[in-house]
C-alpha cells in the first residue's frame, strides 16, 4: 500500500499536478470541491457530446469561490437523442440563439476558469452522477489536448453515495432532496442546464453539512 501511494504521488507530480499531501483533514484550506454538472446529446461519451457545462467551485465548507457556465455547439448535433433533448432542450437553432461556442472555445474558457483557483487549492470533482459527468468532461478535454487527470485528483465525490452512507437510502434526486428538505432539481428543459444542476448539487451538499452529515472536522 505504501509503495502504491508513493507511485500515485509520483504519477501526479509527473503530470504537473499536485502531490497528495497535505490531505484535506490536515489542511482543509488547501482543498476545494469542483461541483459540476453537464448536459449532453446522449449517454455514451465516446459517441455523444456535451452541450453545456456548469461548475461551482467551493471550499470544503461550501463557501463559493467562483462559478462557470458555457453552452457548447456539438460537432455532431445529429447524434442528439430525443430523450436528451427532452431533458436539456437542445436544438441547433436554440443553441445558436443562445450564443453557444465551439467545443475548443468551451475547453479554453473552462481551463482559464479552473486555473484561477487551482494555484493554491486541490479540487475534488463532485457531482450527482459523478461517473457520467466525469466521463463526458474527460472526453471533451481529451479531444482538445487536455484531460480530467490534469485538473483533478483521481478521487471523486458522488452525492447520492454520500447521502446513502449517511442513512438516506435513496438514489433518485427527488427522494434524496426530500430527505434533506430540498425541492427536486427542475425538470423544465428550458430551465435545466449544467449550471442549474451544479447549483442544485451544491445546495444538496450544504444541506448534508447542515444535517451533520459532512466531514467531522467541518462540523466542529
Amino acid at each position: 500500500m505504501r509503495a502504491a501511494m508513493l507511485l500515485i504521488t509520483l504519477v501526479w507530480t509527473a503530470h504537473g499536478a499536485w502531490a497528495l499531501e497535505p490531505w484535506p483533514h490536515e489542511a482543509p484550506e488547501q482543498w476545494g470541491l469542483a461541483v459540476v454538472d453537464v448536459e449532453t446529446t446522449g449517454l455514451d461519451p465516446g459517441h455523444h457530446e456535451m452541450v453545456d457545462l456548469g461548475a461551482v467551485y467551493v471550499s470544503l465548507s461550501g463557501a463559493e469561490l467562483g462559478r462557470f457556465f458555457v453552452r457548447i455547439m456539438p460537432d455532431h448535433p445529429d447524434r442528439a437523442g430525443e430523450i436528451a433533448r427532452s431533458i436539456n432542450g437542445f436544438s441547433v437553432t436554440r443553441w445558436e440563439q443562445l450564443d453557444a461556442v465551439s467545443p475548443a472555445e468551451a475547453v479554453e474558457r473552462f481551463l482559464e476558469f479552473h486555473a484561477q483557483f487551482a494555484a493554491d487549492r486541490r479540487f475534488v470533482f463532485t457531482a450527482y452522477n459523478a461517473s457520467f459527468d466525469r466521463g463526458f468532461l474527460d472526453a471533451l478535454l481529451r479531444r482538445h489536448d487536455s484531460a480530467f487527470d490534469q485538473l483533478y485528483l483521481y478521487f471523486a465525490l458522488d452525492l447520492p453515495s454520500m447521502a446513502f452512507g449517511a442513512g438516506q437510502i435513496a438514489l433518485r434526486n427527488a427522494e434524496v432532496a426530500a430527505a434533506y428538505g430540498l425541492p427536486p432539481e427542475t425538470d423544465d428543459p428550458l430551465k435545466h442546464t449544467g449550471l442549474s444542476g451544479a447549483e442544485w448539487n451544491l445546495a444538496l451538499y450544504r444541506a448534508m453539512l447542515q444535517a451533520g452529515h459532512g466531514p467531522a472536522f467541518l462540523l466542529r
Side-chain angles (χ1 to χ4, degrees):
M1 178 64 72
R2 183 177 178 181
M5 291 304 298
L6 177 60
L7 177 59
I8 289 169
T9 300
L10 291 174
V11 168
W12 278 101
T13 303
H15 278 281
W18 314 270
L20 290 171
E21 296 179 347
W23 294 92
H25 67 285
E26 297 169 330
E29 72 283 355
Q30 295 182 29
W31 289 77
L33 304 182
V35 185
V36 174
D37 187 55
V38 308
E39 295 300 323
T40 73
T41 59
L43 298 177
D44 181 359
H47 177 73
H48 298 109
E49 299 164 271
M50 288 168 51
V51 296
D52 77 26
L53 167 61
V56 185
Y57 278 28
V58 299
S59 68
L60 296 187
S61 62
E64 183 172 331
L65 303 173
R67 58 179 51 207
F68 176 87
F69 178 65
V70 66
R71 281 191 168 87
I72 307 168
M73 184 65 75
D75 291 329
H76 304 282
D78 54 297
R79 297 178 183 175
E82 288 305 313
I83 293 178
R85 291 174 185 270
S86 72
I87 293 172
N88 54 47
F90 170 74
S91 73
V92 171
T93 299
R94 182 165 181 255
W95 252 233
E96 288 175 342
Q97 294 171 345
L98 293 171
D99 299 321
V101 303
S102 69
E105 183 172 346
V107 169
E108 182 178 359
R109 290 186 186 184
F110 185 64
L111 293 179
E112 290 176 353
F113 167 79
H114 177 81
Q116 294 178 52
F117 307 100
D120 57 1
R121 286 182 189 263
R122 305 168 183 85
F123 283 91
V124 181
F125 187 82
T126 306
Y128 199 86
N129 300 304
S131 60
F132 177 88
D133 296 280
R134 175 176 179 162
F136 270 94
L137 180 57
D138 188 48
L140 175 66
L141 292 171
R142 288 184 182 278
R143 290 173 186 139
H144 297 90
D145 302 317
S146 187
F148 180 94
D149 61 8
Q150 293 177 7
L151 277 64
Y152 306 109
L153 302 179
Y154 58 89
F155 297 104
L157 296 182
D158 181 90
L159 290 166
S161 297
M162 294 170 64
F164 198 97
Q168 306 302 328
I169 311 302
L171 294 175
R172 294 189 303 177
N173 75 14
E175 285 83 0
V176 176
Y180 287 98
L182 296 175
E185 185 183 354
T186 180
D187 58 3
D188 183 342
L190 300 184
K191 297 179 180 178
H192 183 82
T193 67
L195 184 57
S196 75
E199 290 171 336
W200 189 88
N201 291 343
L202 177 56
L204 176 59
Y205 177 74
R206 287 171 171 165
M208 290 181 189
L209 292 184
Q210 188 173 9
H213 294 166
F217 66 90
L218 294 178
L219 303 174
R220 294 171 186 159

